[in-house]
Amino acid sequence: MKILVLNSGSSSLKYQLIDTQTEEVVAKGLAECIGVAQRCGQIIQETEFAGKIAFETEMNCHDDAMDRVFALLTDPEKGVVKRVDEIAAIGHRVVHGGEKFVRPTLITDDVLCEVEKVSQLAPLHNPPNLAGIRACMRLMPGIPQVAVFDTAFHATIPDYAYMYALPYDYYTAFGVRRYGFHGTSHQYVAGIALDMLAKEGIAPGSSRIITCHLGNGCSMTAIQGGRAVDTSMGLTPAEGLVMGTRSGDLDPAILVYLARRLDAPASDIDRIINKESGLLGISGLSSDMRDIVDAAAKGNARAELALAVFCYRIRKYVGAYAAAMGGLDAIVFTAGIGENSPIVRERVCRDLGFLGVELDATKNETERGRAINLATPASRVRVLLVPTNEERMIARETARVIAGSAAPSPLVVTP
Ligand code: ADP
């Protein structure tokens, strides 16, 4: 049985065809520059069977992109799908599920309507997700589709952690509260981390871990007893950690101050905090951590400052979440930066000895690409490197939903 996993962004569509038995990736691809006026679209696909294919093609919308991807997958000569019914189901990443969707959900017309309503909370993210779903319904009618929400894993966060101290009516009328994102990744790496802890005699039910998803977008989640109890992203993915181009935490009055000083509309402020801030904003150089680390090593003061602010913010959250949970068994690093940047891990863990964190410097420098503890044997708190795999998690969840599994997803506890 194969599951097609789709992640439709504003101008891109990533996909993987995954064999559910072996979890092997049968095909993997990316359609880029969808609906971008200045640049021709491009599709890159890799399969073991036909190798790598890359070509340019005009794509005005997600319907066009999905048409091309479907044609590639089912191509009589080079395609990996001989009959459409080989695809048992399609799993879609959907960014925002609001309070309504707390677990992966089989898509029906009613569900689509509800997701559309929630889209007000994620006007940049949910509409392309929905476009991907509609394109699949047209091309592959009758094949079950499942929405896997980025927010769902955080549904167990208690009210005192998700409530903002604003007038309560804004919560009831407009849904203003913390939702959190990257849930699929936090859930996936937490599952592996809890297995690792269980082997050392720490039962999942009594475990306290902090997962750090550090990619272009960055977020941290406090997970106690296998349930998310707090997370750094909020109503939108702009809150919390410093990211490639997003500011993360700010004094809220800065937005008002800037709007007045720049005489700028809300759309300008939105662009500044989401696209022009973070590592890029501080360094003036790049949003890519590799560039920041290289430039800092060469003595670029603003790159060094960006790196310092980035790591310091993570350290603060480690402290906050250890306090929130009343203890800590493991810090888990994942995603592009978390998996590949020894300097970031080292700076986050430095001087956390008082919490019981002691990083093994050699392991931190040399280990890559596999789940492993980077702490010394004497360290009370494990420092786990766990490669994430959101597509695999979406495929697993999709398979569970179409199998009609009544059991709750691992680590997603029904509130
Ligand atoms: P996305 O959030 O788009 O999925 P990724 O998880 O791929 O992003 O993470 C992208 C980030 O990972 C970039 O900032 C990139 O610089 C960083 N990264 C990738 N490889 C390394 C590395 N070897 N050292 C430091 N940072 C890295």
Side-chain angles (χ1 to χ4, degrees):
M1 171 164 104
K2 295 188 184 83
I3 305 261
L4 180 60
V5 174
L6 278 192
N7 180 354
S8 320
S10 56
S11 65
S12 70
L13 191 156
K14 288 190 213 157
Y15 61 98
Q16 285 192 10
L17 188 66
I18 297 177
D19 185 306
T20 48
Q21 251 73 54
T22 60
E23 297 203 321
E24 179 202 359
V25 178
V26 182
K28 180 179 179 170
L30 166 69
E32 283 184 296
C33 299
I34 302 166
V36 177
Q38 307 83 356
R39 288 179 64 178
C40 188
Q42 195 190 29
I43 296 189
I44 303 169
Q45 181 181 275
E46 264 184 274
T47 59
E48 199 165 305
F49 170 55
K52 193 168 180 171
I53 306 169
F55 60 95
E56 289 196 335
T57 174
E58 213 167 284
M59 295 177 285
N60 292 320
C61 58
H62 285 77
D63 260 344
D64 288 351
M66 204 53 227
D67 280 343
R68 309 283 192 283
V69 168
F70 184 69
L72 259 185
L73 289 172
T74 55
D75 183 87
E77 279 174 27
K78 293 193 170 171
V80 285
V81 177
K82 298 298 165 213
R83 290 194 340 262
V84 178
D85 62 8
E86 284 171 33
I87 301 175
I90 305 164
H92 295 269
R93 175 191 184 206
V94 178
V95 169
H96 217 309
E99 286 191 321
K100 176 96 190 166
F101 296 104
V102 299
R103 65 182 74 87
T105 305
L106 187 69
I107 297 170
T108 60
D109 287 341
D110 286 350
V111 166
L112 266 187
C113 266
E114 290 296 326
V115 174
E116 224 153 49
K117 283 187 203 155
V118 168
S119 295
Q120 279 190 351
L121 292 167
L124 297 180
H125 294 93
N126 274 24
N129 301 158
L130 284 163
I133 294 171
R134 292 215 170 82
C136 289
M137 284 177 146
R138 176 176 56 79
L139 283 165
M140 292 168 269
I143 296 187
Q145 305 200 46
V146 173
V148 180
F149 299 93
D150 263 24
T151 45
F153 179 57
H154 303 298
T156 50
I157 292 175
D159 54 5
Y160 56 80
Y162 72 62
M163 189 59 59
Y164 292 112
L166 288 166
Y168 193 78
D169 286 353
Y170 297 133
Y171 166 58
T172 47
F174 304 138
V176 175
R177 54 159 281 184
R178 176 182 311 288
Y179 292 95
F181 300 88
H182 292 142
T184 311
S185 176
H186 288 291
Q187 181 185 357
Y188 180 78
V189 299
I192 293 171
L194 293 202
D195 283 348
M196 292 166 86
L197 290 181
K199 286 191 184 123
E200 293 186 38
I202 298 171
S206 59
S207 64
R208 289 169 291 200
I209 69 170
I210 299 172
T211 48
C212 311
H213 176 105
L214 310 177
N216 283 313
C218 301
S219 66
M220 286 166 70
T221 300
I223 300 169
Q224 186 167 8
R227 297 160 64 108
V229 293
D230 205 349
T231 195
S232 60
M233 282 177 167
L235 172 76
T236 77
E239 194 184 348
L241 303 181
V242 176
M243 313 183 207
T245 60
R246 291 180 217 148
S247 64
D249 295 339
L250 290 174
D251 170 353
I254 291 173
L255 307 182
V256 182
Y257 177 75
L258 281 181
R260 287 198 186 118
R261 290 298 302 251
L262 299 169
D263 192 18
S267 56
D268 282 8
I269 302 298
D270 190 53
R271 190 191 68 245
I272 292 167
I273 60 167
N274 279 298
K275 300 251 156 69
E276 298 173 1
S277 297
L279 294 174
L280 174 66
I282 299 176
S283 72
L285 199 69
S286 172
S287 63
D288 192 300
M289 184 53 93
R290 283 165 291 203
D291 298 336
I292 299 296
V293 170
D294 286 352
K298 288 181 186 133
N300 183 310
R302 275 175 55 188
E304 171 51 40
L305 181 61
L307 180 60
V309 177
F310 183 90
C311 297
Y312 177 67
R313 184 81 52 88
I314 300 169
R315 280 169 60 83
K316 280 212 299 194
Y317 269 92
V318 169
Y321 286 169
M325 295 188 288
L328 185 61
D329 298 309
I331 304 172
V332 184
F333 286 99
T334 195
I337 299 170
E339 292 170 32
N340 296 300
S341 182
I343 190 169
V344 168
R345 292 191 299 254
E346 194 275 324
R347 287 195 185 197
V348 170
C349 295
R350 191 189 293 170
D351 299 331
L352 289 186
F354 77 98
L355 263 184
V357 179
E358 211 182 284
L359 194 64
D360 181 315
T362 310
K363 277 189 181 168
N364 185 44
E365 282 297 328
T366 54
E367 287 292 349
R368 202 158 280 195
R370 62 175 181 145
I372 188 161
N373 182 10
L374 303 175
T376 65
S379 181
R380 244 188 318 113
V381 174
R382 291 107 197 123
V383 180
L384 304 181
L385 160 58
V386 180
T388 193
N389 193 333
E390 288 160 284
E391 291 79 9
R392 179 180 289 175
M393 193 73 219
I394 292 173
R396 282 181 191 170
E397 293 290 71
T398 302
R400 287 169 60 83
V401 170
I402 62 160
S405 173
S409 312
L411 297 168
V412 178
V413 182
T414 311

